[in-house]
Amino acid sequence: LVYHNLKQACPDLVPQETLYSLKKAYKDNAIRNLSNATALLKMLDLLKANDIQAVPFKGPLIAERAYNDLNLRSFSDLDILIRQSDVPKAKKVLSQTGYEAEIEISGKHQQKFIQHENSISFFHKNHLPVDLHWEITGRYLLKPIYLEFFSEKLATKSFLGKQIFSIPEDVMLVYLCVHGASHCWDRLEWLCCFVELMKRQTEQTILDALGLAKHIGAKRIFLLGLFLGKYLLAAKYPDALEQGLTYDRGIVQRGHKISNEMFDRPAHFDSGAAWRFSPMHIMIRDSCLDRLKYAFYLFTLPTIKEWSKYPAPYMLTSFYRVIRPFRLAWTFIALRIK
């Protein structure tokens, strides 16, 4: 993205060595993206052949939708959304194709895991990792968004000459804000994607996105994304939306804090697990009650780490809710010591 814009705007002002380095990185990424996108289409065909409805999202799909150019983003895995009921079948299909799941569970354990978690990763020695999702917000909202939630609104789009299912535009806008907020917006490119995708929408689609955000308890999360887009990238929004926007003091303060941290980080910054426990995740909720609910939800609902680190008989899996707060406390202490 940097190379693309510098080349168009002011190539003569960039030192030739730097421009060459950026060009090489751009071309390497373009080759890799084309190969990975082809792998994505093959995976979609495999799932379709087994009667599994699959909707790709993130990575190359966002690049196409936001920039109309597959090469302006980078991605290292394949993210595919399926129905919650199709998870066991999809897991079996991938296993038969040589993929190994990050955690091996079956029977009642698997049913309970699917109820609590939102995705599972698969690895293959010769292929890209595949992340199967059955919920797109990553456990970050009190009201999860499953494929079933918007399956009737699914559209088809052309991608590398093939027709594939596509997440509705209003859902994608809200998803990008939820994803960005869950990571404390620690990458400017995520915000670029959101703003560029907003530019391509009708006024009604953006208002629909705001309505969806209100419905699922993510209004302030969506407003934070809008504020950052306007503050950092001078984004312009439809008049009907602008007139109804109110950035409360909390959103403005969080937006300024995120902006400062985004540009103060050293090169090659790796946030590790730090963002997972940010106070922002609680403070950005729509109401005090939502903050309390999310705090309880965050510290008690087990994740894949509990399932993988502490294997237990099915009858004892309820104890994961007790184990999780202690594991989080130890993680926090370990981060402080480090």
Side-chain angles (χ1 to χ4, degrees):
L1 191 61
V2 171
Y3 170 72
H4 173 79
N5 287 304
L6 287 178
K7 183 183 177 183
Q8 288 190 332
C10 55
D12 295 338
L13 299 181
V14 183
Q16 286 302 305
E17 185 178 347
T18 301
L19 193 63
Y20 175 79
S21 177
L22 289 172
K23 182 178 181 179
K24 184 178 185 305
Y26 171 84
K27 286 188 173 181
D28 290 346
N29 183 68
I31 294 170
R32 187 165 53 248
N33 278 9
L34 182 58
S35 174
N36 293 346
T38 303
L40 173 63
L41 292 177
K42 289 180 179 179
M43 180 57 64
L44 295 178
D45 286 342
L46 174 65
L47 294 173
K48 182 179 179 180
N50 286 274
D51 297 320
I52 299 171
Q53 186 178 39
V55 184
F57 71 115
K58 297 172 73 171
L61 277 301
I62 296 179
E64 282 279 344
R65 293 170 74 164
Y67 306 125
N68 200 29
D69 189 337
L70 176 66
N71 303 321
L72 295 186
R73 299 195 84 221
S74 60
F75 61 101
S76 56
D77 56 17
L78 307 178
D79 292 281
I80 299 174
L81 179 66
I82 62 174
R83 295 177 183 274
Q84 195 173 24
S85 58
D86 282 337
V87 175
K89 188 198 298 186
K91 182 172 177 286
K92 183 177 180 181
V93 169
L94 265 67
S95 297
Q96 292 173 344
T97 316
Y99 283 86
E100 292 186 6
E102 62 181 322
I103 180 173
E104 284 298 335
I105 46 179
S106 58
K108 291 183 178 180
H109 279 73
Q110 180 170 262
Q111 294 174 13
K112 202 163 189 177
F113 175 82
I114 293 171
Q115 290 174 2
H116 289 314
E117 264 296 340
N118 70 293
S119 66
I120 186 169
S121 298
F122 293 82
F123 302 93
H124 193 296
K125 62 180 180 180
N126 297 322
H127 301 290
L128 277 178
V130 175
D131 286 351
L132 283 184
H133 302 253
W134 50 95
E135 196 278 328
I136 66 173
T137 71
R139 298 160 41 93
Y140 188 66
L141 295 183
L142 295 171
K143 293 182 179 179
I145 302 179
Y146 297 101
L147 174 56
E148 291 83 348
F149 180 80
F150 54 80
S151 59
E152 293 183 359
K153 294 171 59 179
L154 282 176
T156 56
K157 291 186 179 292
S158 178
F159 181 72
L160 295 184
K162 295 195 69 171
Q163 294 295 312
I164 62 172
F165 287 113
S166 176
I167 292 177
E169 302 291 348
D170 58 335
V171 178
M172 180 58 75
L173 289 174
V174 175
Y175 162 74
L176 289 175
C177 287
V178 173
H179 178 259
S182 71
H183 289 266
C184 298
W185 286 105
D186 66 356
R187 295 187 189 178
L188 181 62
E189 193 273 328
W190 291 340
L191 188 61
C192 293
C193 271
F194 173 65
V195 170
E196 289 301 315
L197 192 62
M198 286 280 286
K199 290 179 182 178
R200 297 170 180 269
Q201 307 309 315
T202 65
E203 183 176 296
Q204 187 57 53
T205 298
I206 298 175
L207 292 175
D208 288 345
L210 179 59
L212 172 62
K214 291 178 182 178
H215 175 69
I216 62 176
K219 178 185 176 182
R220 294 183 79 236
I221 291 173
F222 189 66
L223 289 178
L224 177 62
L226 293 176
F227 175 81
L228 287 170
K230 191 169 185 176
Y231 180 66
L232 287 176
L233 300 176
K236 303 291 184 182
Y237 305 128
D239 291 340
L241 181 65
E242 288 278 14
Q243 293 169 6
L245 291 181
T246 302
Y247 302 116
D248 61 51
R249 188 172 68 174
I251 290 174
V252 173
Q253 288 177 340
R254 297 288 164 185
H256 286 155
K257 187 173 187 296
I258 288 169
S259 301
N260 293 334
E261 290 178 350
M262 187 181 292
F263 295 105
D264 285 343
R265 292 193 185 100
H268 309 297
F269 172 78
D270 182 7
S271 60
W275 60 267
R276 299 179 188 274
F277 310 111
S278 170
M280 189 193 82
H281 293 163
I282 296 175
M283 298 308 298
I284 203 64
R285 301 293 152 178
D286 286 355
S287 68
C288 291
L289 181 59
D290 281 354
R291 293 171 192 171
L292 291 173
K293 286 181 178 179
Y294 182 74
F296 178 78
Y297 170 84
L298 174 66
F299 290 108
T300 61
L301 192 64
T303 68
I304 192 168
K305 290 190 176 180
E306 281 73 41
W307 284 88
S308 58
K309 283 190 173 185
Y310 312 104
Y314 177 76
M315 296 299 293
L316 298 179
T317 52
S318 296
F319 282 98
Y320 285 145
R321 289 184 176 272
V322 179
I323 293 173
R324 178 163 170 77
F326 288 100
R327 189 186 68 77
L328 291 179
W330 173 249
T331 300
F332 178 79
I333 293 171
L335 285 173
R336 288 291 184 178
I337 294 174
K338 184 177 179 181

